[in-house]
Structure formats: structure tokens, C-alpha cells
Amino acid sequence: SILGGIKHPNCMKVVDLFRSKSRVYISMPFMANGTVGTVVNKHGPLSEWNCKVWFPAMARAVKYLHERSIAHR
């Protein structure tokens, strides 16, 4: 219910969530470039330009979550 209530332009939308006996599955829209970790693993460290563009958006998303008492892992 928490994930379904997150509505912010810099937060991924949760399409569906379900559990098996030992795992939780979260369905989200497909992101062609993957995660930030995927980009770093594929292309090496982020450029200063990418950091300047991406970091403020990520910080706004985490701020949004923290204002709602939601911790980001």
C-alpha cells in the first residue's frame, strides 16, 4: 500500500506487487537504460554533467519519501 501511494515524477511507478513463499516481486515499467548502477557498470563512472543532472532529481525523490516517513534502501 505504501508503494502504491507514491506519486512523484522522480519515483518509479509500481504497477503490481506480489509475494511467493520466500520472495516479494515488484513490477515496474521497463526502463531501457536500466538503473544508475547498470549505467555505471556498463560505461564507467558518471560524468560531472550526468551527476549535475541526475543527482538533484534523485535528491528530490528521496526528500519526497522522507517527508512521508518512508525510508529508501
Side-chain angles (χ1 to χ4, degrees), residues 3-37:
L3 292 174
I6 296 172
K7 302 218 185 318
H8 188 274
N10 300 117
C11 292
M12 287 292 299
K13 179 182 176 188
V14 174
V15 176
D16 196 10
L17 185 135
F18 55 96
R19 299 175 197 207
S20 69
K21 289 182 181 179
S22 60
R23 296 179 188 247
V24 175
Y25 297 90
I26 303 171
S27 176
M28 298 176 169
F30 176 73
M31 299 298 291
N33 294 321
T35 66
V36 174

Side-chain angles (χ1 to χ4, degrees), residues 10 36 46-63:
N10 300 117
V36 174
L46 296 176
S47 68
E48 182 179 346
W49 183 88
N50 278 339
C51 290
K52 285 181 182 179
V53 172
W54 293 0
F55 184 78
M58 289 188 282
R60 285 190 298 273
V62 172
K63 180 178 185 273

